[in-house]
Amino acid sequence: LESTLAKVTRVDVVGKEEDKVSYANITLVSDIDRDIPESKIKYDNKYALIIGNEDYMSYQSNLSKEQNVQFAISDARSFKEYCEKTFGIPASNITYITNGTLGQMRQGIAQMNTLLKKSTGNLDIYFYYAGHGAPDELSKEPYLIPVNVSGSKVQDGIKLKEVYNALTEFGSTKVTMFVDACFSGGARNQELAATRSIKLVPKADMLKGNIVSFSASSGTQSSYAYSAKNHGMFTYFLLKSIQESNGDINYKDMWDKVNSKVSFESVRVNKVEQDPQKNVGIDVEKIWEQWKFK
């Protein structure tokens, strides 16, 4: 592994570097970050929105460092590399947000929705999120939590259903979502709301449209890191399955490998159960398994 003194920046949805920067010793390189398969073709109809929310403590004074999401930015950065190199997505078609605030995340989601609205239904969309998720304690609705939203006020975050709706409101070739978060009230290090002692089973949505969503865990489970690999357990095995196949793998084979590996390795490495979950839009129930990344 390589350890470097890296400059860490937050980037907004139009790609401008903000004034505030910090420095940290970061160990990033894992085996999935080397020898990334490369596509010779760039696909102008492919777009991606990638969000890695790791540093919640810097935005909320009542949090401890343990309540950050370990390796979330490393996960997002690596997924971005695979989008560009393996999936053939032009760099200009990728919106990449680290430590996203509520405004930045909403702007990124709205941008994807508008692109779909203005297209002729031929866009291929990827959505990736690593960070905190949490359920509303009354409705059990799952929320994505921006870095400036308190875990005790999850309603101020972004409903996962809102993301689904934004990406399926208008026609598309396909929409693929990867969510390395959990929605039971737990997290890689600690739950965001330290006072929540009971985990909840998040409400499941029935999806419409050409969409498949893959999540890191299910039920009351938490989503954990694979510390030896400097990634989330789910993201590591997702990218590993793509790397080992040179990018030439259909969604069924990818899902079978990821589901099996995460379920087993989480018990072996972290001594806890973590079983990934998929949710398939009713319009593609019979065809999603044969979709490919390139």
Side-chain angles (χ1 to χ4, degrees):
L1 298 179
E2 297 176 6
S3 180
T4 59
L5 186 65
K7 182 177 181 181
V8 181
T9 64
R10 293 194 295 123
V11 180
D12 65 18
V13 293
V14 294
K16 295 180 180 178
E17 181 178 301
E18 294 187 354
D19 292 335
K20 180 182 176 182
V21 298
S22 60
Y23 292 86
N25 284 309
I26 302 177
T27 303
L28 294 175
V29 178
S30 170
D31 55 298
I32 60 169
D33 299 312
R34 304 186 186 93
D35 302 319
I36 297 174
E38 295 201 30
S39 170
K40 296 180 181 179
I41 304 173
K42 293 296 182 183
Y43 300 91
D44 290 337
N45 71 319
K46 286 189 174 186
Y47 286 80
L49 171 58
I50 302 166
I51 303 169
N53 283 355
E54 179 170 326
D55 185 6
Y56 287 77
M57 184 187 70
S58 293
Y59 296 80
Q60 302 181 48
S61 59
N62 62 324
L63 298 181
S64 66
K65 186 169 74 171
E66 287 72 24
Q67 288 169 295
N68 288 337
V69 180
Q70 190 178 28
F71 307 126
I73 290 178
S74 178
D75 287 342
R77 182 186 295 110
S78 295
F79 189 83
K80 178 177 179 288
E81 288 289 304
Y82 276 78
C83 282
E84 287 189 52
K85 294 180 179 178
T86 310
F87 305 166
I89 305 178
S92 59
N93 289 6
I94 298 174
T95 300
Y96 176 62
I97 304 171
T98 58
N99 295 330
T101 63
L102 177 62
Q104 289 174 325
M105 289 176 63
R106 286 203 179 282
Q107 186 179 349
I109 294 165
Q111 182 184 31
M112 290 295 110
N113 177 261
T114 302
L115 286 169
L116 287 162
K117 179 180 179 180
K118 299 298 183 179
S119 75
T120 56
N122 70 333
L123 297 191
D124 186 351
I125 300 292
Y126 291 85
F127 176 89
Y128 177 88
Y129 175 81
H132 273 298
D136 178 87
E137 292 188 358
L138 296 178
S139 69
K140 297 185 180 180
E141 285 277 358
Y143 282 76
L144 303 181
I145 307 298
V147 293
N148 61 337
V149 169
S150 169
S152 62
K153 295 182 179 179
V154 298
Q155 302 90 342
D156 293 341
I158 299 173
K159 282 185 182 181
L160 189 60
K161 182 188 289 186
E162 288 183 32
V163 182
Y164 291 149
N165 291 343
L167 299 181
T168 59
E169 182 179 5
F170 305 102
S172 64
T173 301
K174 71 176 189 280
V175 176
T176 308
M177 293 181 60
F178 297 103
V179 182
D180 198 339
C182 61
F183 300 96
S184 62
R188 291 187 188 178
N189 297 0
Q190 281 187 23
E191 61 266 28
L192 191 55
T195 58
R196 185 183 291 112
S197 58
I198 300 175
K199 292 185 178 181
L200 303 174
V201 178
K203 181 179 177 181
D205 291 308
M206 179 175 288
L207 303 185
K208 298 179 180 179
N210 298 343
I211 183 172
V212 180
S213 178
F214 301 98
S215 301
S217 58
S218 56
T220 59
Q221 297 174 344
S222 294
S223 301
Y224 288 88
Y226 193 174
S227 296
K229 301 295 185 178
N230 300 293
H231 283 290
M233 181 72 71
F234 174 75
T235 295
Y236 173 79
F237 283 111
L238 165 65
L239 298 181
K240 188 66 174 176
S241 72
I242 297 169
Q243 181 193 52
E244 289 180 337
S245 64
N246 199 35
D248 187 18
I249 187 171
N250 62 41
Y251 281 22
K252 180 184 186 303
D253 291 343
M254 175 276 294
W255 167 246
D256 288 345
K257 287 184 178 182
V258 172
N259 190 31
S260 175
K261 283 290 190 179
V262 172
S263 295
F264 181 83
E265 292 296 320
S266 186
V267 174
R268 186 184 71 84
V269 175
N270 293 323
K271 309 298 187 289
V272 293
E273 291 187 62
Q274 180 181 334
D275 302 303
Q277 183 176 2
K278 72 175 185 297
N279 198 353
V280 180
I282 57 176
D283 295 346
V284 294
E285 287 179 336
K286 296 181 179 180
I287 63 173
W288 74 271
E289 292 181 338
Q290 298 310 310
W291 285 358
K292 288 191 171 185
F293 296 97
K294 68 175 184 178

